[in-house]
Amino acid sequence: RPPGAGRAMGFQRGQVVSAVSNLGTAYNLVNINLAHVIMEDQYCGGDNCSHIVTAAGTACLVGAITGQLTFGYVGDCLGRSRALQLTQVLSIVGAVTSAFAVPLSPHDGSSVFAFIIVTRLLLGIGVGGVYPLAATIAAESSSSTNRGRSVAVVFSMQGVGTLLVPLLGMAVIAAVGTPETRSAHSKAMQGLSWRLLLGFGALPGLCLIP
């Protein structure tokens, strides 16, 4: 192996990990905007439970702020690689549990959003923790001559993650239908579309855990 090859591979891995982490962060922050529209139609009969829906949409942002403020310190204590893995675990757990959300009350369908508030808060802590860690890892995994460009490329993946939400949304709805269409055809799991949209948020973290 040529001298410095191992170090170069380490640099490339650090940048890839940071880039995929940022992609997952953006996707998980934005996907609720599409998912909750489908959920409202299923559980609220339209825009009839806006207050709890707003709380569910905000929960991830509150968690993200918490993660941003705390995971820089966590990274100093545990090491940045381990801390980033911890953010991915939180993101995976939050995304998967969000995909399996159910109403907490059998008499109130809108209580599903109370479930979502808890799971999205956990998810937010994970995705928020990515910001300080990914920036540092990307900078440390770059040479002094291309450090700015590397960090810019890593954070540009947030645009890709944001763009994936409507693209996947259209594909999922076309493939499995909305709750209304599934109900009309007597298909099981009426909310399969929004569950898939939220569950896909675990994939970037699952790719990085090894």
Side-chain angles (χ1 to χ4, degrees):
R1 178 181 294 182
R7 185 180 181 186
M9 289 177 63
F11 284 174
Q12 292 175 357
R13 174 174 170 77
Q15 292 173 9
V16 169
V17 168
S18 298
V20 175
S21 297
N22 272 284
L23 184 151
T25 291
Y27 179 86
N28 281 309
L29 285 173
V30 176
N31 62 0
I32 191 64
N33 296 326
L34 178 56
H36 79 64
V37 175
I38 305 173
M39 295 174 70
E40 280 183 287
D41 289 339
Q42 179 178 355
Y43 292 105
C44 305
D47 189 16
N48 298 316
C49 50
S50 58
H51 295 298
I52 194 167
V53 170
T54 300
T58 306
C60 192
L61 298 177
V62 174
I65 293 172
T66 304
Q68 288 173 355
L69 294 176
T70 58
F71 265 89
Y73 176 73
V74 173
D76 290 338
C77 294
L78 300 181
R80 281 175 277 279
S81 294
R82 287 187 177 182
L84 189 61
Q85 286 181 337
L86 178 57
T87 66
Q88 297 307 313
V89 170
L90 292 173
S91 298
I92 292 168
V93 173
V96 171
T97 52
S98 295
F100 285 94
V102 294
L104 299 179
S105 170
H107 307 294
D108 182 10
S110 66
S111 62
V112 69
F113 290 103
F115 192 117
I116 288 290
I117 288 172
V118 177
T119 58
R120 296 282 299 178
L121 180 65
L122 179 65
L123 172 65
I125 295 173
V127 299
V130 167
Y131 281 92
L133 296 172
T136 304
I137 291 173
E140 292 178 344
S141 299
S142 309
S143 64
S144 57
T145 57
N146 67 350
R147 183 165 297 156
R149 182 175 58 187
S150 297
V151 173
V153 169
V154 163
F155 277 88
S156 71
M157 293 302 291
Q158 292 186 12
V160 177
T162 301
L163 183 61
L164 281 176
V165 174
L167 294 178
L168 282 176
M170 290 187 292
V172 167
I173 292 174
V176 304
T178 63
E180 292 82 358
T181 57
R182 294 184 68 83
S183 177
H185 292 86
S186 301
K187 293 183 178 180
M189 293 188 67
Q190 296 180 14
L192 182 60
S193 54
W194 65 261
R195 295 183 189 279
L196 288 174
L197 282 172
L198 296 180
F200 284 154
L203 294 180
L206 289 172
C207 293
L208 295 178
I209 285 297

